[in-house]
């Protein structure tokens, strides 16, 4: 008798079903983060490009501040707007410290939720492996109870157990790829903020 993947999942034991539910949770959340981060980074790149065009063409920081309000996702626009609007700095060194503090906040925003992808990539294969081991143990107990080790008796239980490993890998692989990709994009934007901060000091101080 042939067993589809869905049939095998439905016939799995309680522990294996719990493992599969945990893996499904990790997978759904990971894909949600992947799509959300794609949209965020895409918009951030677009807004940063447009903001820099205005920055290069605008000599007055106040005019740039007003123009920057339409760029809510760009880390560079947020950095400039946060520092310029506060205006509690009294000298160059204090302005640099403020830029560093706001850059850290923007960096944290760029890297938000990436830890979940890293956790998914590193933990779900082992969670799936646990489900596989548990399922195989149940298969051997079934063999003992049936008193037979024929392929017809063993195959369904082994197949049921291996589904946990397959789903664990299916959750882990996209998460690892997305984590490395988005971390690379975040690091690039962080470097852009560092370079921009160095230029921003003189630009803002011109308005004093």
């Amino acid at each position: 008798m042939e067993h589809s993947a869905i049939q095998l999942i439905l016939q799995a034991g309680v522990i294996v079903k719990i493992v599969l539910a945990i893996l499904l949770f990790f997978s759904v959340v990971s894909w949600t983060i992947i799509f959300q981060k794609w949209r965020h980074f895409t918009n951030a790149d677009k807004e940063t490009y447009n903001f820099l065009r205005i920055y290069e063409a605008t000599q007055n920081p106040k005019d740039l501040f007003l123009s920057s309000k339409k760029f809510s996702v760009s880390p560079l626009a947020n950095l400039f707007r946060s520092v310029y609007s506060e205006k509690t700095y009294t000298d160059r060194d204090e302005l640099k410290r403020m830029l560093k503090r706001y850059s850290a906040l923007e960096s944290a925003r760029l890297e938000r939720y990436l830890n979940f992808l890293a956790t998914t990539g590193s933990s779900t294969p082992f969670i799936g492996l646990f489900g596989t081991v548990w399922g195989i143990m149940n298969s051997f107990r079934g063999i003992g109870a049936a008193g037979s080790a024929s392929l017809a008796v063993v195959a369904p239980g082994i197949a049921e157990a291996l589904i946990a490993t397959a789903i664990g890998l299916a959750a882990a692989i996209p998460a690892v790829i997305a984590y490395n990709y988005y971390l690379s994009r975040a690091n690039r934007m962080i470097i852009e903020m560092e370079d921009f901060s160095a230029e921003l000091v003189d630009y803002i101080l011109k308005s004093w």
Side-chain angles (χ1 to χ4, degrees):
M1 179 180 178
E2 293 185 358
H3 293 261
S4 67
I6 294 177
Q7 287 177 322
L8 292 172
I9 291 172
L10 293 176
Q11 294 170 4
V14 175
I15 298 298
V16 174
K17 285 181 179 177
I18 292 173
V19 167
L20 295 177
I22 293 171
L23 293 175
L24 180 62
F25 165 78
F26 273 101
S27 183
V28 169
V29 175
S30 292
W31 278 107
T32 302
I33 293 172
I34 288 170
F35 287 119
Q36 188 271 336
K37 280 296 182 183
W38 176 266
R39 184 172 63 251
H40 180 84
F41 279 113
T42 300
N43 291 336
D45 279 335
K46 186 183 300 183
E47 288 192 6
T48 294
Y49 173 77
N50 291 327
F51 170 74
L52 287 176
R53 289 180 61 188
I54 298 174
Y55 166 75
E56 292 169 358
T58 305
Q59 298 299 319
N60 190 326
K62 184 178 180 180
D63 292 339
L64 179 62
F65 173 74
L66 295 174
S67 298
S68 71
K69 291 183 178 180
K70 60 184 177 182
F71 304 121
S72 61
V73 182
S74 168
L76 271 58
N78 290 338
L79 178 63
F80 168 77
R81 193 165 51 251
S82 297
V83 173
Y84 185 80
S85 61
E86 189 166 328
K87 288 189 176 180
T88 58
Y89 44 85
T90 58
D91 55 39
R92 180 180 293 268
D93 290 336
E94 190 171 355
L95 177 56
K96 287 181 178 179
R97 287 193 295 271
M98 191 179 297
L99 281 165
K100 186 175 182 179
R101 184 171 72 252
Y102 281 116
S103 293
L105 292 175
E106 289 299 320
S107 298
R109 187 174 290 111
L110 289 172
E111 295 174 350
R112 185 181 299 168
Y113 306 127
L114 293 186
N115 284 340
F116 188 89
L117 295 180
T119 300
T120 299
S122 62
S123 63
T124 50
F126 294 102
I127 296 173
L129 182 61
F130 170 78
T132 296
V133 171
W134 190 273
I136 290 175
M137 288 170 56
N138 284 336
S139 294
F140 280 114
R141 281 197 289 268
I143 291 172
S148 172
S150 66
L151 185 60
V153 173
V154 175
I158 300 298
E160 164 196 315
L162 291 177
I163 283 177
T165 294
I167 295 178
L169 292 174
I173 292 172
V176 170
I177 293 173
Y179 171 77
N180 290 327
Y181 175 67
Y182 290 133
L183 184 62
S184 175
R185 293 188 70 172
N187 287 336
R188 178 177 57 79
M189 290 185 179
I190 290 170
I191 293 172
E192 287 179 351
M193 279 195 295
E194 292 174 352
D195 294 339
F196 183 66
S197 295
E199 295 183 18
L200 207 52
V201 174
D202 291 331
Y203 185 89
I204 291 179
L205 292 180
K206 286 193 305 183
S207 63
W208 279 17

